[in-house]
Amino acid sequence: MPSFSRIFLGLFCLLVAILLLAPTLVVIPMSFNGNKSLAFPPVGFSWQWYENFFSNPDWTTSFSNSLIVALIVAVVATVIGTLAAFGVTRAAARTGGLLRALLITPMVVPGVVLAIGIYAVYLDTHLVGTVTGFVLAHTMLAIPFVLIAVQASLEVFDRRLETAASSLGAGRLTVFRTVTLPLILPGVLSGALFAFITSFDEIIVALFITSPYLKTLPVQIYSSITRDADPTVAAVGTLLFIATSLIIIAGLLLGMRRGRT
Amino acid sequence: MHAPQRSAGAAIEIRKASKRYGAFTALNDIDLHIRPGEFMTLLGPSGSGKTTTLNLIAGFTDISSGTLEIGGKSVTGLPSHKRNIGVVFQHYALFPHMTVGKNVAYPLALRGIKGDDREKRVKRALDMVKMADFAHRYPNELSGGQQQRVALARALVFDPPLLLMDEPLGALDKKLREWLQLEIKRIHRELGTTFVYVTHDQEEALVLSDRIAVFNGGRIEQIGTGRELYDSPATLFVGRFIGESTVLRGSAEVSGDETVMTIGEQKVVANRRLAGDARPVILLRPERVALKRPGADVVPGENRLTGTIAEAIYLGSGSKYEVRLADGTVAVVRSPLGAADFGIGDTVDIAFLPSDLILLPDDASADVTLT
């Protein structure tokens, strides 16, 4: 019976969705715990962990560090990744494929391996615990995401539009600014978003190159949870969960508006 | 005044131009002179070099050897955005993120034309193609024919002395194509701009052009008016590419100023001879041939070949027949309204005067390229 299989498939999807979401959702009640414990289910109710997050300089500084690093990474990786995507798309097919494979290695190589390599180099160059160090390492990790997102846009972009713009009197830079960029912008923006997130929640490399003077938020979460059972971690998790959900919903709504016109 | 300002068209002078891609020669030593204000069509099958020629003029590709002058000035090395040439593409190439009005204003904005002046010119160009009511629409809300009219307005709004069109009607259905052909012809007449038009459709070329350059295998076979190409083709390829035709082959003998060709058991006389010693073939136009009952209505001096009707098609304005001759050749004949009717299987004579046939040097490549 077709309707039976449909119901079955629907239930199965629901099950998968619960499985995927449950670990995230568990964090929300924990963040309102009345006691200083990460036990589940939580006991009592309080806002104190949220208050702690916004008042404790350990948390606020690491949060602003992460924000600064991630914003710089988003800009730098998007520029470099977009240029790389142009190169890969417009090079001869074989060269392009080879370059692409090379450029996405940071995505494939295990994070720990990369982290060790980066740490070794940073020790010599005194980049450990610096914003520059974080930005460099995270940019490298983020470029593949930008490359893939922008390349997908470029592949559906009609190059004849560039020829047309050129015939109408536009030089190469003007063609890029007025025709190419506006049309691949969705890809560039999603690349930038990926780059931001890649940097913002990166932990492995960050653990290696962090210092007591420069901690990012994931490092702070990790050290907090290994030192004591502080539910502030759950409060941070809940805030991040809400923030990312809002961004994604906004993105979806924007996409729907675009699709309608 | 509806149209953009009447401008003097630019002349184009191409001498000994070649274009090579590695070992492949796309364009082989062509000479082409286009007069100011002329409507010149580059006609030929795909891969014949017509689009390559257009791309050279537009500056989308570089010439490998030879010279190219537009308006008396060499444009070698000048990038396309500095040539001030309007181009219309087969796939419209409208910017999907701009409204119709923005698309048409684009070349004006690049030229620093602002405010009222810009708006007036956009309006005038859209009026010219009858699309003024669509200025606020996006290209994906328009039909193919409407998009191409907008593309035409965009290519003409900056008053270029030269407009290039690359199979602009190729993606449209027949009715729309015919209507737009007349629109393009009208706009050409109003503007005085030089138009260079690429197509593989010989009928379209005949409808539109002042002159036609017929391309084949990277060369120009002949340049002339439609009438010249149809009535006196220079090569068998041109004769077969323009209009319908029947090609007769046989053993030929020259006696004095006449050529006598034996086809099957029968002889055909042509009242001229070819220069040189190329093997001659005879090209017949369908409306220059009459269908007669065998042995009837003899006109002195006419040629007759016997065959049977293989296909009879009623066209309204007349009839079209295919006649299988004794040697297997299928001859195409168009009979005017009121001529005698024949049915499939009837034995008939095709009759034509020696002055009505076209005698050409044989060229085996003409057969290959057309199939």
Side-chain angles (χ1 to χ4, degrees):
Chain A
M1 239 164 68
S3 64
F4 173 76
S5 67
R6 272 184 94 145
I7 292 168
F8 176 75
L9 277 177
L11 285 174
F12 187 74
C13 287
L14 194 68
L15 195 73
V16 172
I18 291 171
L19 199 70
L20 290 174
L21 270 174
T24 315
L25 295 178
V26 162
V27 169
I28 298 174
M30 276 161 63
S31 70
F32 295 103
N33 204 333
N35 296 340
K36 190 178 165 105
S37 135
L38 281 170
F40 188 86
V43 184
F45 179 89
S46 85
W47 286 97
Q48 59 173 308
W49 312 117
Y50 288 92
E51 279 161 27
N52 186 40
F53 173 71
F54 286 108
S55 58
N56 185 336
D58 275 355
W59 287 104
T60 48
T61 322
S62 63
F63 177 76
S64 70
N65 285 341
S66 270
L67 205 62
I68 290 166
V69 169
L71 282 174
I72 300 175
V73 167
V75 173
V76 177
T78 302
V79 172
I80 297 175
T82 302
L83 292 174
F86 266 89
V88 167
T89 316
R90 304 206 167 163
R94 187 179 291 183
T95 329
L98 213 70
L99 277 174
R100 184 190 145 94
L102 216 68
L103 284 163
I104 62 169
T105 42
M107 234 168 108
V108 186
V109 173
V112 182
V113 177
L114 270 175
I116 294 168
I118 291 169
Y119 183 59
V121 174
Y122 276 19
L123 278 180
D124 279 353
T125 47
H126 306 290
L127 282 167
V128 173
T130 63
V131 171
T132 319
F134 272 98
V135 167
L136 271 177
H138 285 177
T139 299
M140 190 182 76
L141 293 171
I143 284 173
F145 292 97
V146 178
L147 175 74
I148 288 168
V150 177
Q151 203 190 357
S153 298
L154 272 179
E155 259 153 24
V156 295
F157 172 73
D158 185 355
R159 284 204 71 185
R160 292 176 295 202
L161 295 177
E162 291 182 341
T163 312
S166 160
S167 80
L168 294 168
R172 293 183 78 158
L173 217 65
T174 312
V175 172
F176 178 78
R177 195 171 46 79
T178 57
V179 176
T180 317
L181 186 60
L183 288 171
I184 63 164
L185 200 60
V188 174
L189 287 181
S190 76
L193 194 66
F194 274 123
F196 180 86
I197 290 169
T198 302
S199 166
F200 195 78
D201 75 354
E202 203 284 327
I203 175 79
I204 303 172
V205 176
L207 279 177
F208 277 75
I209 63 173
T210 189
S211 79
Y213 310 105
L214 190 72
K215 279 184 185 174
T216 56
L217 190 58
V219 173
Q220 171 63 24
I221 291 173
Y222 182 75
S223 53
S224 156
I225 208 157
T226 46
R227 208 173 45 234
D228 48 24
D230 181 353
T232 309
V233 170
V236 176
T238 306
L239 289 174
L240 290 181
F241 174 67
I242 291 168
T244 44
S245 301
L246 285 179
I247 291 173
I248 288 168
I249 290 169
L252 286 176
L253 286 178
L254 218 71
M256 271 163 65
R257 275 246 309 272
R258 214 176 252 274
R260 226 180 290 145
T261 51
Chain B
M1 268 301 285
H2 263 327
Q5 271 146 29
R6 237 191 120 77
S7 62
I12 301 175
E13 188 74 59
I14 300 176
R15 286 194 208 90
K16 299 210 161 301
S18 295
K19 176 65 189 177
R20 285 174 289 272
Y21 296 99
F24 174 69
T25 303
L27 210 58
N28 194 353
D29 204 26
I30 66 154
D31 287 289
L32 180 62
H33 172 71
I34 301 171
R35 300 176 193 127
E38 189 170 28
F39 198 125
M40 170 66 89
T41 295
L42 314 182
L43 175 69
S46 58
S48 60
K50 57 191 194 302
T51 298
T52 305
T53 305
L54 194 87
N55 286 342
L56 287 180
I57 300 172
F60 299 148
T61 47
D62 294 324
I63 208 165
S64 301
S65 63
T67 62
L68 167 59
E69 287 176 7
I70 299 172
K73 272 181 245 138
S74 168
V75 293
T76 311
L78 196 66
S80 58
H81 68 271
K82 290 186 178 157
R83 292 197 181 187
N84 202 34
I85 297 172
V87 186
V88 176
F89 302 86
Q90 179 173 4
H91 295 284
Y92 325 131
L94 293 178
F95 305 129
H97 58 301
M98 299 181 194
T99 60
V100 164
K102 286 263 167 59
N103 263 281
V104 177
Y106 185 83
L108 298 177
L110 291 173
R111 285 163 178 75
I113 296 166
K114 296 189 188 79
D116 270 3
D117 192 17
R118 188 201 293 183
E119 269 174 45
K120 248 184 251 161
R121 292 176 68 163
V122 168
K123 170 100 174 46
R124 228 166 31 189
L126 285 173
D127 275 339
M128 180 182 68
V129 295
K130 298 169 183 156
M131 287 295 290
D133 296 341
F134 296 83
H136 297 292
R137 299 274 196 96
Y138 280 88
N140 64 1
E141 299 170 300
L142 305 179
S143 72
Q146 291 172 329
Q147 288 190 51
Q148 198 57 298
R149 276 147 68 197
V150 174
L152 189 61
R154 187 180 67 175
L156 285 169
V157 71
F158 55 100
D159 297 331
L162 172 61
L163 180 74
L164 308 178
M165 287 188 266
D166 188 3
E167 310 238 6
L169 310 180
L172 305 175
D173 65 60
K174 192 168 169 355
K175 271 267 182 306
L176 194 57
R177 208 159 60 218
E178 285 170 356
W179 179 68
L180 276 174
Q181 283 168 5
L182 296 179
E183 286 290 294
I184 290 171
K185 221 174 141 91
R186 170 181 67 79
I187 290 166
H188 174 249
R189 223 174 14 242
E190 281 174 8
L191 294 185
T193 309
T194 308
F195 277 34
V196 180
Y197 192 98
V198 162
T199 183
H200 61 267
D201 181 344
Q202 49 97 16
E203 267 181 68
E204 190 164 286
L206 291 173
V207 169
L208 290 171
S209 323
D210 294 324
R211 286 194 305 155
I212 300 168
V214 183
F215 281 72
N216 182 30
R219 291 175 183 279
I220 294 178
E221 297 249 339
Q222 189 175 2
I223 304 172
T225 62
R227 184 182 300 272
E228 283 165 4
L229 297 179
Y230 189 81
D231 287 343
S232 25
T235 66
L236 183 58
F237 177 83
V238 173
R240 294 199 55 189
F241 201 78
I242 309 275
E244 282 186 300
S245 59
T246 303
V247 178
L248 300 177
R249 288 194 170 88
S251 59
E253 278 166 48
V254 177
S255 62
D257 274 346
E258 289 190 334
T259 306
V260 179
M261 190 181 282
T262 311
I263 297 158
E265 306 280 288
Q266 291 165 300
K267 286 194 190 318
V268 172
V269 179
N271 60 356
R272 73 207 92 129
R273 53 177 295 184
L274 291 179
D277 34 72
R279 206 174 101 92
V281 291
I282 288 169
L283 191 90
L284 294 176
R285 292 299 186 194
E287 64 284 343
R288 298 290 176 107
V289 180
L291 277 191
K292 296 178 178 177
R293 300 195 186 286
D297 307 325
V298 178
V299 174
E302 74 177 355
N303 292 306
R304 292 181 86 117
L305 290 169
T306 309
T308 51
I309 306 261
E311 189 68 79
I313 302 156
Y314 175 69
L315 295 173
S317 56
S319 293
K320 180 177 154 180
Y321 296 99
E322 288 182 11
V323 180
R324 189 175 303 281
L325 302 177
D327 69 337
T329 309
V330 174
V332 183
V333 180
R334 264 174 195 276
S335 293
L337 215 57
D341 252 353
F342 295 94
I344 293 175
D346 289 357
T347 302
V348 290
D349 278 357
I350 63 166
F352 48 95
L353 291 170
S355 55
D356 277 345
L357 59 77
I358 300 164
L359 197 68
L360 291 167
D362 201 358
D363 177 7
S365 75
D367 294 329
V368 179
T369 27
L370 283 174
T371 49

